[in-house]
Amino acid sequence: ADLKALEGGKEAEERVQRCAGAQELKEIGALALTLLWPHCEDPFQGIADQTKAMFTNITALQELTRLLSRREAGEKGQMKLSQEEKEGVFTELVTMALAVKPHRKARYRLLIAIVPRVGNQMLLRHEPALIASLLEAMRDQSVGTCCTLLLEAMLLHDAASGNADHTWWSEP
């Protein structure tokens, strides 16, 4: 079927139109996560940094998928997700990341990509002891940097959003 699509014609046009759909983007995002996951633990920092950047792009793709599904459903108006919609889109990714053991870099690299999209409160609802586990994991030399980067992302998101509730970081 892919060869026929490359040859052109009406079938190729239909395939291009189908590829722009929300379901296809969701499938691409899931496949990308599957392909990227093993590279989170790569000892070469360049590969790990590229993996983190790709996780960020996947989270953007997940958000775009939801927006496209709204458009396909015929919804008009502002094309921005509410906080509840964002949480619905990213709950699976958050659950998957938090299920990973605390001594694995993959856990923190995915969460770093998710924080700017959903904020801190969603993460803390799913894992109330997240800050304490971050501080504990910082002792582990293999994941300390990733933990620090996640904590930094959470603090920066809190500052950028103007959130007055600082209890999540002041009282771990």
Side-chain angles (χ1 to χ4, degrees), residues 102 108 112 133-135 137-138 143-152:
Y108 305 107
I112 289 167
S133 71
L134 274 173
L135 295 173
M138 282 182 189
V143 296
T145 303
C146 290
C147 294
T148 304
L149 291 173
L150 175 57
L151 191 56
E152 178 185 27

Side-chain angles (χ1 to χ4, degrees), residues 39-104:
H39 300 288
C40 286
E41 305 295 329
D42 199 289
F44 296 108
Q45 190 60 39
I47 293 173
D49 289 342
Q50 288 176 356
T51 303
K52 187 175 81 175
M54 286 183 225
F55 275 145
T56 301
N57 290 336
I58 289 171
T59 59
L61 185 66
Q62 295 293 337
E63 195 167 3
L64 178 63
T65 299
R66 177 63 181 121
L67 290 171
L68 277 175
S69 65
R70 279 169 134 194
R71 187 173 182 191
E72 288 173 351
E75 289 185 33
K76 302 283 186 204
Q78 186 179 11
M79 293 305 285
K80 187 176 179 185
L81 296 180
S82 68
Q83 186 63 29
E84 294 81 25
E85 288 176 307
K86 286 181 182 182
E87 289 183 16
V89 169
F90 293 109
T91 296
E92 186 178 337
L93 289 175
V94 169
T95 303
M96 183 174 76
L98 292 173
V100 176
K101 294 180 180 170
H103 66 279
R104 307 299 297 198

